[in-house]
Amino acid sequence: MGAVSGVRDADGGAGGVATRWVWTAAWPVTAVFVLSNAATPLYVRWQREIGFSKGTLTVIFACYIVGLLGSLLVSGVVSDRVGRKPVLLPALGLALAACAIFASASSVAALLVARLFSGIAVGAVVSAGMAAVTDVAGPERRRLAALLASCAMVFGAGLGPLLAGVLGEGVFVLEAVLLVVAVLVVVRMPLRGASAASAPSASAPSVSAPSVPAPSVPARSAHASGAWVRIPGVPRGSGGELLMGIAVFAPGITATSFVLSLGPSLLSGLLDTTSPVVAGAMAFVMFLTATGAQFAVQRLDRRTILLAGAVSTTIGMGALIAAVLASSVPLLVAAALLAGAGQGMGQLGGLSLLNSSVPPSRLAEANAALNVGGYVPAGVLPVTAGYLSDAAGLTAGATVFGAVLMALALVGGLVVVAGPPSARRKEA
């Protein structure tokens, strides 16, 4: 009993699982997202060595989106029915395979396959991985779980490009080590079933250490009889929260996706350099801003967080248009920082709303729904901008993209302002 009670005391005595495990549970999310953007600073080099256009570059990025969206159609539902670990462990295996392919890539086909595998792994992590953080945290720490899961995503997304800028293709060796550690974390993760998390027994000892794992399969609901492969959704009554989250998260992640796919080309043109360190540093600072913004606004109500995200993305796209028209590096960096903050706050607000309104038995699917709503425009719009840039020039492509996304961010802010009353009641 001493070991169990000691862990309960360490986390305040309410959750039964030490707070350090809530933080550790977010590590697989970070590790996979390091891979997700690690290739970003290397694209300029691969483009020169292999030889492909800006349009092809955005198709390589879109292949990642295809894998991610395909994964989201399955991973959330499967995770809610059979458990988090059976989804996360194969995903980490695919991520390791992607590392091996990236490290030896010498053709566009290899890059397409590696990005596809990366996308599948990311889809599993944003649904099952983020839900696992909430499962470990328990109902009394759901807001902390949303913060850590969201920050783990954007911090990993920023760390990958920075490491790649410094290490080159060697980043994939380091990433393989990070993924192996993530596998060990998932194996040891003290996941609790949804029913146990929501209604613990007074007579049963709480699970507080990874050496005594509780069932990782969430409680089954009536919805568990539906199709295994389907467009993910949320329970009846939570649609308003999902809509508000997507309305802000989608423009934010589309803006950062553009910076990741074509930002290095813009930056190399403005600075007359192909250094991967420069491109990686810009991506890292962008996502570091996203991480810092989330910690800065975590105590605000969810509607305010979402509104701040919409405003940040809107201003960021205005800065992007100004940057390409004026050929200004400072404005381009400012646009990247504002885009990062916009994604971070939109993501945190959306995840927090879902964590507060969706039961654990549907949470992975709800996370998948939020990300489908975000990644569809994040895949389509940058690809369109890439081909437009090939046809009409990078300045014209980036300007049109920025104007469209600014309009979408403004609409997102209006959706939040006019959000459903049910969402207002759940903000606290």
Side-chain angles (χ1 to χ4, degrees), residues 106-119:
S106 59
S107 67
V108 171
L111 295 177
L112 289 172
V113 172
R115 287 299 280 170
L116 180 68
F117 284 2
S118 301

Side-chain angles (χ1 to χ4, degrees), residues 152-176:
M153 173 180 168
V154 293
F155 181 72
L159 184 60
L162 180 65
L163 293 174
V166 175
L167 301 176
E169 282 87 346
V171 68
F172 300 112
V173 177
L174 175 59
E175 168 62 4

Side-chain angles (χ1 to χ4, degrees), residues 24-35 71 84-100 117-126 128-129 175-189:
T24 304
W27 174 250
V29 179
T30 299
V32 171
F33 269 92
V34 169
L35 172 66
S71 178
R84 314 305 185 203
K85 294 182 182 182
V87 172
L88 290 174
L89 291 175
L92 291 171
L94 275 180
L96 285 165
C99 281
F117 284 2
S118 301
I120 295 172
V122 168
V125 161
V126 297
E175 168 62 4
V177 175
L178 301 182
L179 288 169
V180 169
V181 175
V183 169
L184 298 177
V185 168
V186 171
V187 170
R188 298 271 292 166
M189 194 179 293

Side-chain angles (χ1 to χ4, degrees), residues 321-405:
I321 294 172
V324 296
L325 293 178
S327 298
S328 170
V329 173
L331 282 174
L332 179 61
V333 173
L337 299 183
L338 288 164
Q343 178 190 332
M345 289 185 282
Q347 182 175 295
L348 175 61
L351 285 174
S352 297
L353 280 175
L354 294 179
N355 271 8
S356 68
S357 63
V358 177
S361 60
R362 294 288 304 280
L363 187 56
E365 184 182 357
N367 289 343
L370 175 67
N371 282 279
V372 166
Y375 276 104
V376 166
V380 172
L381 291 180
V383 169
T384 303
Y387 278 107
L388 181 60
S389 297
D390 283 341
L394 194 55
T395 298
T399 300
V400 172
F401 174 87
V404 170
L405 207 55

Side-chain angles (χ1 to χ4, degrees), residues 240 244 303 414-424:
M244 288 171 59
R303 186 179 298 269
L414 293 175
V415 169
V416 174
V417 171
S422 60
R424 293 190 186 99

